[in-house]
């Protein structure tokens, strides 16, 4: 169920451990009662090409995709957990952001 997609400026790979960030986010979200830990799916994707309004500023953006049904307070709590994990691990990154997105009712999955 929850999908966490982390996008970041590619050069951050040189001095940041994104596998460790994935683990930090997993642990933070798995501890929350609104998240079924075994179904968390986290991936980090470098962006080799990017442009933002602040020239040269690095970024890490995370989309937290969830099935519908959680209230705004819970979504905010989850976003805060992700942002805190990012801030702790990525102290020198120029811009950190998180968005919580509800998966559509047409979302399907297959598990073995």
């Amino acid at each position: 169920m929850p999908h966490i997609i982390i996008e970041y400026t590619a050069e951050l790979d040189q001095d940041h451990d994104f596998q460790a960030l994935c683990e930090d986010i997993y642990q933070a979200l798995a501890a929350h009662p609104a998240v079924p830990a075994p179904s968390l799916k986290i991936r980090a994707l470098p962006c080799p090409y990017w442009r933002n309004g602040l020239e040269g500023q690095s970024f890490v953006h995370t989309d937290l995709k969830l099935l519908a049904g959680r209230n705004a307070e819970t979504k905010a709590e989850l976003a805060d957990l992700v942002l805190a994990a990012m801030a702790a691990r990525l102290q020198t990154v120029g811009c950190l952001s998180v968005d919580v997105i509800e998966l559509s009712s047409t979302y399907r999955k297959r598990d073995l």
Side-chain angles (χ1 to χ4, degrees):
M1 196 231 4
H3 286 263
I4 295 91
I5 302 167
I6 305 163
E7 296 176 318
Y8 59 93
T9 51
E11 75 275 359
L12 293 175
D13 268 335
Q14 297 171 12
D15 52 4
H16 293 83
D17 186 346
F18 282 90
Q19 185 60 51
L21 176 63
C22 290
E23 183 62 29
D24 293 347
I25 291 173
Y26 182 94
Q27 294 301 327
L29 292 176
H32 195 283
V35 177
S39 65
L40 278 167
K41 297 162 188 75
I42 303 173
R43 52 202 174 271
L45 308 168
C47 296
Y49 311 106
W50 56 276
R51 171 71 164 95
N52 64 24
L54 300 171
E55 189 172 330
Q57 187 178 57
S58 58
F59 75 87
V60 178
H61 173 77
T62 300
D63 284 331
L64 172 55
K65 298 182 177 189
L66 303 166
L67 290 173
R70 291 168 184 83
N71 62 32
E73 181 181 343
T74 299
K75 291 177 191 176
E77 288 173 7
L78 297 174
D80 288 342
L81 289 173
V82 172
L83 188 58
M86 292 167 61
R89 177 79 48 190
L90 306 168
Q91 297 176 6
T92 62
V93 175
C95 181
L96 303 176
S97 59
V98 179
D99 191 16
V100 178
I101 301 165
E102 281 195 0
L103 294 166
S104 75
S105 62
T106 59
Y107 170 80
R108 301 289 188 267
K109 71 175 185 173
R110 175 190 157 268
D111 289 326
L112 293 178

